[in-house]
C-alpha cells in the first residue's frame, strides 16, 4: 500500500478505534472440513469496509465507526444437496470494480452486489457444474476477477479430485467464452503432452497415465492481470497425492506450475513447472505478482511467485523463462524428491520412497502465504514444518480408498522466518525470526513497515529497511489473513487487522488523528497462546490443505 500516513515513525502510536465481533457460523454442518475463520483481508472502498466470512456472509461496515451498513448471507444449507460440492467452507478474497462487489460462494455460484446497498445485481449459478472430463467435486473460495469486458472465474477442489480450470465469461451477457484446463480429463488424454513445448519440460507421451484418478491442479491462487499484453498469470495446485504417484507417470503438466494465459482466446502462452511429478504438495500457491524489476541495469517486466518448497521464482513475463536461478530461502531440504528438478525428475516416483522418513518442508511448510513487494524488495515468510507420510484409508473424489496420509512430523519444533530479498541483485537483506508458524496471512508493506500476522495471533510491525521490530500486538486468535490499510470517507487512515478462527473478530486501528480511542495495551510483552494455534484447536493438517 503506497500510503505514508501510518509509517515506521508512528506505527507504535496506533490506537484501537473499534472492534467488530464476527457472528458465529449459523449452519454448523457436521461433515464440513474444519474452518480457519477469517481468511479474507478487508477490502476498503469509499469509506466502506467489506469482509467475507468462511460461511459465505458478506458484511459491509462503516470504516470510521465499525458499524454495520449491510450484510448478505448465502444459504449454505442449500449446498448439501449439490453433488458437485466438496464440503469445504472457505472465503479468501473479494473483488471490487466500478461500484460492484464480487464474491464466489462455496457452491461455485458467482454473486455481483451493489457495493453501496448490498442488493444482488445478478448471479452465475454453479460455475463448476458440467465440466468436461471431470469426475471430481469442487468448492468456491476465490472471487472472480474483472479483466476489461471479461469475468475470470476459478474454483478449488482439494481432495475432491476435480479437474482444475480457469473460465472466462462475458461481463455483460454472463455467457461462457472459454475454459482452460490445468490437467487432462479423467481417463487421460494421449495428446496432453503436445503443449509441453511452451514451457520448461520435455514432452512426455502418456503424461498422467490412463485413469479415473486424474484431477487436481486447481487455481487456488491470487492472479495478476496484464492489460498491456492481454495476459493473466497464476499458479496451479499440486497433483493429487492421496493415491500412489506411480499411477500418474510423467511430469503431470500443468499442475504445480506458473502459467500465463491469453485472455482473449484462453490459449496457453507459457508455463513453468516448479515441481515435476510432485509428491510433497509444494505448489506455487497463494499468489503471483506482475512487477517491473531492474536487473543488470535493465528494467524487466517479470512474474514473481514463491512456492511451498521455499523457492522464489522470477520469470520473464513475455516468455516465462527464468530471469535467473530461483532464490532458495528457509532451512535446508530433508528427503525432498523431484522439487525444482525439471527434466531430471523421476517421472515414476512413488510416495513409498518417503515412508518412514521425515521430510522438510512438509506439506504445510515453506512459503504458505502471499508475499509483498515494494518495487525492489520482496518480503516473504517461510515456516519450518516438517512432514511425514503414512499409509491408510483416504477419501478422494468422494470415495474411500487405500492410499497415503500426509501430516506434520510429531514433536518437531515449528517456527518461521520473514525474509527481505532484493530481487535486483538476488540478495537477502535481512531475516526476522518468529517463534510460531506462519501460514495464510498475506504479508503487507507500507510506509516503511512490513506487517505480518502469525498463526498464534501475533501481529508484527517490522522496519522494512533493516528488519528491526517496531511493534508487536497479540490478538489472541488465529492469524489467517493479512492487514489492510485504507482511508475513511473523511480521509483518516486506518489499519485493519483480522484475527480469529471460529468466533472471530476484526480490529480497526487509527493513528489518533480523529476521535480518541482506547490505546492498545497488547504490546511486546503481551501473552499469546502457548502452543501453535492449529494444534491447540486440534485441527489436522490434511483437513485444511489448500482450503487453509
Amino acid at each position: 500500500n503506497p500510503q505514508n500516513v501510518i509509517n515506521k515513525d508512528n506505527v507504535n502510536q496506533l490506537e484501537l478505534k473499534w472492534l467488530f465481533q464476527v457472528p458465529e457460523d449459523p449452519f454448523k454442518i457436521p461433515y464440513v472440513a474444519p474452518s480457519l475463520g477469517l481468511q479474507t483481508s478487508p477490502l476498503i472502498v469509499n469509506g466502506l469496509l467489506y469482509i467475507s466470512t468462511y460461511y459465505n456472509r458478506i458484511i459491509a461496515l462503516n470504516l470510521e465507526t465499525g458499524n454495520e451498513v449491510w450484510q448478505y448471507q448465502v444459504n449454505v444449507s442449500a449446498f448439501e444437496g449439490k453433488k458437485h460440492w466438496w464440503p469445504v467452507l472457505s472465503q479468501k478474497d473479494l473483488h471490487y470494480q466500478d461500484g460492484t462487489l464480487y464474491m464466489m460462494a462455496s457452491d461455485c455460484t458467482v454473486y455481483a452486489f451493489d457495493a453501496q446497498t448490498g442488493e444482488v445485481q445478478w448471479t452465475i449459478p454453479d460455475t463448476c457444474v458440467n465440466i468436461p472430463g471431470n469426475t471430481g467435486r469442487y468448492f468456491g473460495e476465490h472471487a472472480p476477477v474483472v479483466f476489461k469486458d471479461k469475468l475470470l472465474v476459478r474454483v478449488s477442489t482439494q481432495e475432491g479430485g476435480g479437474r482444475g480450470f480457469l473460465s472466462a465469461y462475458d461481463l455483460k451477457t454472463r455467457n461462457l467464452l472459454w475454459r482452460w484446463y490445468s490437467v487432462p480429463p479423467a481417463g487421460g488424454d494421449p495428446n496432453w503432452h503436445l503443449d509441453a513445448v511452451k514451457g520448461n519440460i520435455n514432452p512426455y507421451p502418456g503424461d498422467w497415465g490412463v485413469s479415473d484418478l486424474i484431477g487436481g491442479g486447481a487455481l487456488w491462487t491470487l492472479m495478476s492481470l496484464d492489460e498491456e499484453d492481454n495476459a493473466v498469470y497464476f499458479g496451479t495446485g499440486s497433483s493429487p497425492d492421496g493415491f500412489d504417484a506411480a499411477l500418474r507417470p510423467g511430469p503431470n503438466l500443468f499442475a504445480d506450475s506458473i502459467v500465463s494465459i491469453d485472455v482473449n482466446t484462453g490459449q496457453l502462452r507459457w508455463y513453468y513447472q516448479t515441481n515435476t511429478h510432485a509428491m510433497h504438495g509444494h505448489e506455487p500457491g497463494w499468489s503471483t505478482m506482475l512487477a517491473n524489476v531492474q536487473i543488470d541495469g535493465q528494467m524487466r517486466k517479470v512474474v514473481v511467485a514463491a512456492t511451498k518448497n521455499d523457492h522464489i521464482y522470477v520469470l520473464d513475463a513475455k516468455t516465462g523463462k527464468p530471469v535467473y536461478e530461483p532464490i532458495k530461502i528457509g532451512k535446508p531440504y530433508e528427503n525432498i524428491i523431484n522439487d525444482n528438478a525439471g527434466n531430471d525428475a523421476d517421472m515414476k516416483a512413488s510416495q513409498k520412497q518417503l515412508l518412514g522418513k521425515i521430510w522438510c518442508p512438509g506439506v504445510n511448510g515453506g512459503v504458505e502465504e502471499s508475499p509483498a513487494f515494494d518495487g525492489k524488495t520482496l518480503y516473504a515468510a517461510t515456516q519450518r514444518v516438517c512432514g511425514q507420510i503414512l499409509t491408510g484409508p483416504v477419501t478422494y473424489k468422494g470415495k474411500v480408498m487405500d492410499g497415503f496420509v500426509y501430516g506434520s512430523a510429531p514433536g518437531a519444533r515449528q517456527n518461521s522466518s520473514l525474509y527481505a530479498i532484493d530481487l535486483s541483485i538476488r540478495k537477502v537483506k535481512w531475516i526476522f525470526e518468529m517463534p510460531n508458524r506462519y501460514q495464510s496471512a498475506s504479508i503487507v508493506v507500507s510506509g516503511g513497515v512490513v506487517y505480518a500476522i502469525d498463526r498464534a495471533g501475533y501481529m508484527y510491525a517490522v522496519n522494512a529497511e533493516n528488519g528491526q521490530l517496531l511493534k508487536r500486538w497479540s490478538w489472541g486468535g488465529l492469524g489467517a489473513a493479512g492487514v489492510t490499510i485504507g482511508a475513511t470517507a473523511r480521509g483518516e487512515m486506518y489499519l485493519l487487522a483480522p484475527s480469529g478462527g471460529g468466533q472471530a473478530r476484526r480490529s480497526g486501528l487509527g493513528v489518533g488523528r480523529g476521535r480518541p480511542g482506547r490505546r492498545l495495551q497488547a504490546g511486546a510483552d503481551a501473552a499469546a497462546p502457548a502452543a501453535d494455534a492449529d494444534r491447540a484447536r486440534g485441527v489436522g493438517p490434511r483437513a485444511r490443505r489448500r482450503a487453509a
Side-chain angles (χ1 to χ4, degrees):
N1 189 308
Q3 69 81 38
N4 200 44
V5 175
I6 300 174
N7 56 58
K8 61 183 177 62
D9 296 322
N10 63 19
V11 67
N12 61 354
Q13 301 171 22
L14 287 175
E15 298 175 348
L16 183 64
K17 291 291 187 179
W18 52 260
L19 185 147
F20 179 78
Q21 191 76 37
V22 178
E24 287 193 81
D25 175 9
F27 300 99
K28 295 182 173 61
I29 302 174
Y31 57 83
V32 168
S35 170
L36 296 184
L38 294 170
Q39 293 184 271
T40 304
S41 294
L43 177 62
I44 298 172
V45 184
N46 298 328
L48 289 183
L49 162 70
Y50 303 97
I51 61 175
S52 179
T53 71
Y54 69 88
Y55 53 87
N56 292 212
R57 179 178 297 181
I58 305 294
I59 304 174
L61 305 176
N62 182 305
L63 177 58
E64 187 170 353
T65 65
N67 293 330
E68 184 177 304
V69 177
W70 60 262
Q71 66 168 270
Y72 183 89
Q73 175 65 63
V74 177
N75 182 12
V76 172
S77 296
F79 302 170
E80 295 188 76
K82 297 187 175 184
K83 295 181 179 180
H84 69 271
W85 180 50
W86 186 246
V88 174
L89 294 177
S90 173
Q91 288 285 298
K92 287 202 175 74
D93 50 65
L94 296 167
H95 181 71
Y96 174 91
Q97 186 82 16
D98 298 331
T100 300
L101 184 70
Y102 298 89
M103 73 162 288
M104 174 180 281
S106 295
D107 68 339
C108 309
T109 294
V110 170
Y111 284 80
F113 300 93
D114 183 296
Q116 289 292 320
T117 67
E119 180 182 356
V120 177
Q121 297 177 328
W122 48 262
T123 66
I124 305 177
D126 302 329
T127 60
C128 58
V129 172
N130 298 324
I131 304 301
N134 172 62
T135 56
R137 298 158 73 184
Y138 299 97
F139 64 97
E141 59 178 345
H142 282 288
V145 176
V146 174
F147 189 106
K148 297 181 179 178
D149 60 346
K150 298 178 178 64
L151 193 70
L152 303 181
V153 174
R154 77 281 200 203
V155 297
S156 297
T157 182
Q158 208 172 309
E159 283 80 7
R163 187 186 186 192
F165 66 87
L166 173 68
S167 296
Y169 291 82
D170 185 291
L171 190 58
K172 292 183 178 179
T173 66
R174 271 91 73 186
N175 292 330
L176 179 67
L177 299 174
W178 54 256
R179 187 179 285 129
W180 177 83
Y181 300 98
S182 58
V183 302
D189 180 351
N191 297 318
W192 190 252
H193 64 285
L194 297 181
D195 263 353
V197 295
K198 295 182 180 180
N200 62 319
I201 303 300
N202 296 332
Y204 188 99
D207 188 18
W208 288 92
V210 180
S211 167
D212 182 57
L213 299 173
I214 296 173
L219 281 64
W220 65 277
T221 175
L222 300 177
M223 303 185 292
S224 285
L225 311 179
D226 188 342
E227 294 190 349
E228 181 182 14
D229 287 341
N230 287 307
V232 58
Y233 310 93
F234 52 85
T236 61
S238 65
S239 312
D241 49 29
F243 63 88
D244 194 335
L247 299 176
R248 47 175 173 86
N252 304 151
L253 298 175
F254 298 94
D256 294 87
S257 299
I258 304 164
V259 176
S260 175
I261 298 294
D262 185 309
V263 178
N264 288 330
T265 64
Q267 297 298 306
L268 176 69
R269 296 172 74 237
W270 56 256
Y271 75 92
Y272 188 94
Q273 189 173 54
T274 60
N275 299 317
T276 303
H277 190 83
M279 297 188 297
H280 298 95
H282 285 168
E283 62 260 85
W286 294 101
S287 70
T288 54
M289 299 182 188
L290 181 65
N292 291 313
V293 180
Q294 189 171 23
I295 301 172
D296 297 330
Q298 179 183 0
M299 193 63 71
R300 302 279 298 272
K301 183 193 287 188
V302 299
V303 175
V304 182
T307 62
K308 290 164 62 178
N309 66 359
D310 283 338
H311 277 87
I312 309 296
Y313 291 85
V314 181
L315 309 178
D316 183 277
K318 182 72 73 172
T319 66
K321 298 184 181 301
V323 174
Y324 42 62
E325 287 297 309
I327 302 169
K328 174 69 171 67
I329 63 174
K331 303 292 184 181
Y333 278 170
E334 293 180 33
N335 296 316
I336 296 297
I337 301 172
N338 284 351
D339 279 22
N340 202 40
N343 290 304
D344 294 328
D346 180 353
M347 303 295 183
K348 298 181 180 180
S350 167
Q351 294 95 324
K352 296 175 183 177
Q353 298 168 235
L354 295 169
L355 292 176
K357 300 177 181 179
I358 301 298
W359 44 282
C360 307
V363 71
N364 285 121
V367 180
E368 265 274 53
E369 89 291 327
S370 298
F373 184 62
D374 66 3
K376 184 178 180 181
T377 304
L378 183 80
Y379 304 94
T382 175
Q383 59 181 356
R384 178 68 170 179
V385 182
C386 297
Q388 66 175 359
I389 299 178
L390 305 173
T391 57
V394 298
T395 301
Y396 180 65
K397 296 195 177 189
K399 302 175 182 178
V400 178
M401 57 186 290
D402 291 332
F404 299 92
V405 180
Y406 286 59
S408 298
R413 183 183 179 187
Q414 301 180 356
N415 55 6
S416 54
S417 304
L418 176 63
Y419 281 75
I421 307 162
D422 188 322
L423 292 187
S424 296
I425 58 177
R426 299 181 61 210
K427 181 180 179 181
V428 175
K429 295 171 57 177
W430 51 259
I431 304 174
F432 177 77
E433 298 294 345
M434 295 176 283
N436 305 302
R437 284 180 54 186
Y438 199 99
Q439 182 176 327
S440 186
S442 298
I443 306 296
V444 174
V445 59
S446 184
V449 182
V450 183
Y451 299 93
I453 305 178
D454 71 16
R455 298 300 272 183
Y458 278 122
M459 185 173 85
Y460 302 90
V462 179
N463 189 309
E465 185 59 34
N466 56 29
Q468 297 298 307
L469 179 65
L470 298 170
K471 181 74 173 179
R472 184 178 71 169
W473 298 264
S474 175
W475 297 127
L478 183 70
V483 306
T484 297
I485 302 175
T488 68
R490 296 194 300 172
E492 185 178 9
M493 201 65 66
Y494 273 41
L495 183 148
L496 280 298
S499 173
Q503 184 78 354
R505 64 187 179 187
R506 288 189 186 274
S507 300
L509 309 181
V511 292
R513 296 192 300 124
R515 59 182 176 82
R518 179 167 60 87
R519 183 171 296 277
L520 286 176
Q521 300 299 312
D525 297 324
D532 173 81
D534 290 332
R535 287 181 283 130
R537 294 178 64 235
V539 179
R542 289 297 295 166
R544 117 183 113 253
R545 274 202 63 215
R546 286 179 293 282

